[in-house]
Amino acid sequence: MVQMVDTANHIAGYAAKAARVKVIAAYPITPQTTVVEKIADFVESGQMDAEYIRVESEHSAMVACIGAAAAGVRTFTATSAHGLALMHEALHWASGSRLPIVMAVVNRAMGAPWSIWPDLSDSLSQRDTGWIQFYCADNQEVFDTIVQAYKICENERVFLPAMVCLEGFILSHTTAPFNLPDQEKVDAFLPSYKSGWMLDVNKPRSHANLVAPEYYMEFRYKIQEAMENAKQLISETDREYGEQFGREYGGMIEKYRCEDADLVIMTIGTMGAEAKLAVDKLRKEGQKVGSARIRVYRPYPVEDILKLAENVKMISTIDRHISFGMEGFLGSETKAALFGRKDEPMVASFIAGLGGRDVTAEGIETMAKKSLRSLRQGRVEKGTEWFDLKE
């Protein structure tokens, strides 16, 4: 093991190298560019035995990965924001073709107005494309999750692609310590890629061709079934990774001081780290508050949320995203997961941090105290509240 200090974008490149990726399709976009630049350095210097394809757009990057994965090799790419949006059509082809591509998504707000700062609107807008979605809270988790993602996605019970999401600038360009495991240990954890199917000129076949209505639904059912299978594998893989490398993240949800909590603050991504600080402060004040960071958004951790809610009186969700005309996805889907449950806890929903606006531990503490007041009153005054909105 080597201890290093680097940005999350470079760490994503180290993870692709450690996973022995064989094809990288690259197109630059802020704040993702340094991911593929780092990999280009590895390939050019001979540190990485891989084919590096410079394409003309993000759509082409994904199509190149689809072709490479279909030919039987491990593939990787990275993108952000409008680049991910341009890939939208091809994302469906990747999941529908059951190809275990892993992609780093460096989260950035969508225009207009133009922004290069982070929120989760880019990746969450792709929630229904059939991709597993991981969200990281720190630089080390970026490395660990990319390696884990390959093992999960390449399992014969899954064979689906995955996005490993990290917030732009907050992680992508922030330097932090991380542990780079020995290559032999990574190889022992992550075996060589064996595809579920492969294009072979010597054994011609048709795949993902036109399908009539009497069979199309079954293809979609199999993707849903694979998502359900992934839930168990994500938790198992995280535990196995912890045993071998000394780091694990709670599987689908990272919980913090939730055992006796009346209120749980639910977040995604880097806000999870800030929520822990807020929880510690509130605990010192005698408030029974915990935090739960959704590490995997697709498949949604319904069973984990139900278990979490067994002894909790209230959950407050904080979304760095808005589904226009409704609320944040985290708020909506948590309410849906809990609907009809006996002794269903109250749920308060907050929208915060859009377009890169800072969400601090103090801000999360303020949202938690508002929720505690609602809990004492026995009702949530506003279904969804926009936090720190300028007048």
Side-chain angles (χ1 to χ4, degrees):
M1 181 184 71
V2 179
Q3 291 184 318
M4 302 178 67
V5 177
D6 215 330
T7 65
N9 273 5
H10 284 176
I11 291 167
Y14 278 104
K17 176 174 173 284
R20 298 193 183 276
V21 169
K22 292 301 181 184
V23 171
I24 303 94
Y27 192 83
I29 182 172
T30 301
Q32 172 276 135
T33 303
T34 55
V35 175
V36 292
E37 283 182 345
K38 188 65 174 177
I39 296 173
D41 287 342
F42 288 145
V43 174
E44 185 68 19
S45 65
Q47 297 178 63
M48 190 172 178
D49 179 19
E51 187 76 22
Y52 191 94
I53 307 173
R54 297 180 294 276
V55 293
E56 73 278 8
S57 74
E58 290 87 357
H59 186 280
S60 297
M62 183 49 56
V63 170
C65 285
I66 289 169
V73 296
R74 188 172 284 157
T75 64
F76 180 83
T77 189
T79 193
S80 296
H82 294 268
L84 181 62
L86 187 58
M87 287 182 179
H88 178 74
E89 177 199 16
L91 298 180
H92 287 278
W93 281 96
S95 61
S97 299
R98 308 301 295 276
L99 298 172
I101 299 161
V102 174
M103 172 169 59
V105 175
V106 184
N107 292 114
R108 167 183 150 186
M110 299 292 292
W114 202 245
S115 173
I116 60 168
W117 291 276
D119 62 32
L120 306 183
S121 56
D122 52 357
S123 55
L124 289 176
S125 294
Q126 308 300 327
R127 66 173 183 170
D128 298 329
T129 55
W131 283 61
I132 296 170
Q133 288 195 0
F134 296 90
Y135 288 83
C136 300
D138 59 44
N139 289 18
Q140 182 70 59
E141 189 178 4
V142 171
F143 181 95
D144 298 337
T145 303
I146 288 172
V147 173
Q148 288 186 32
Y150 279 111
K151 184 156 187 170
I152 293 158
C153 294
E154 293 171 6
N155 188 288
E156 62 182 5
R157 297 175 59 205
V158 179
F159 282 130
L160 288 175
M163 301 177 191
V164 177
C165 303
L166 54 139
E167 285 149 89
F169 299 108
I170 298 173
L171 295 183
S172 68
H173 287 65
T174 298
T175 300
F178 83 105
N179 293 324
L180 178 65
D182 295 335
Q183 186 62 56
E184 294 77 12
K185 287 193 71 175
V186 178
D187 291 341
F189 176 81
L190 179 64
S192 299
Y193 174 51
K194 293 182 180 179
S195 60
W197 67 276
M198 188 169 66
L199 294 174
D200 186 344
V201 294
N202 296 314
K203 297 178 181 179
R205 68 171 71 187
S206 174
H207 188 81
N209 209 332
L210 183 67
V211 62
E214 60 264 36
Y215 293 111
Y216 183 88
M217 261 182 77
E218 282 67 28
F219 281 99
R220 286 301 179 259
Y221 172 77
K222 288 181 180 296
I223 293 175
Q224 176 66 16
E225 188 177 47
M227 279 284 184
E228 292 298 325
N229 292 341
K231 290 181 179 180
Q232 180 181 351
L233 285 166
I234 288 165
S235 296
E236 290 175 355
T237 302
D238 187 45
R239 281 195 298 271
E240 182 185 349
Y241 195 90
E243 290 168 1
Q244 295 191 28
F245 297 94
R247 294 181 300 276
E248 59 181 292
Y249 300 93
M252 305 279 285
I253 298 182
E254 183 188 48
K255 300 174 200 169
Y256 182 69
R257 303 187 76 166
C258 290
E259 295 80 6
D260 63 341
D262 292 331
L263 169 68
V264 168
I265 305 162
M266 189 171 286
T267 60
I268 305 181
T270 57
M271 280 197 288
E274 295 294 322
K276 289 179 180 179
L277 298 175
V279 165
D280 288 342
K281 185 148 186 267
L282 289 162
R283 285 278 178 169
K284 288 179 181 177
E285 297 174 6
Q287 305 288 356
K288 296 170 75 173
V289 179
S291 72
R293 176 175 66 91
I294 302 296
R295 180 174 175 246
V296 184
Y297 180 73
R298 276 293 180 270
Y300 201 65
V302 174
E303 296 81 4
D304 297 75
I305 290 172
L306 290 173
K307 187 171 182 59
L308 176 69
E310 286 177 358
N311 300 306
V312 169
K313 296 177 181 177
M314 187 174 188
I315 295 174
S316 288
T317 63
I318 308 176
D319 269 291
R320 205 175 207 127
H321 166 269
I322 177 64
S323 179
F324 297 114
M326 188 57 178
E327 59 186 333
F329 284 161
L330 186 57
S332 292
E333 299 204 4
T334 299
K335 292 170 185 175
L338 296 171
F339 181 74
R341 177 187 170 277
K342 187 179 179 181
D343 301 322
E344 181 181 330
M346 297 167 60
V347 179
S349 300
F350 294 90
I351 308 295
L354 301 188
R357 187 167 298 180
D358 202 12
V359 182
T360 64
E362 290 76 17
I364 293 174
E365 182 187 349
T366 299
M367 287 182 265
K369 286 182 175 178
K370 286 187 177 185
S371 300
L372 288 167
R373 284 197 295 274
S374 296
L375 182 57
R376 287 193 293 270
Q377 294 168 3
R379 63 185 179 87
V380 177
E381 292 182 4
K382 294 180 70 173
T384 301
E385 184 171 344
W386 288 61
F387 178 73
D388 194 28
L389 195 64
K390 297 187 185 303
E391 296 295 333

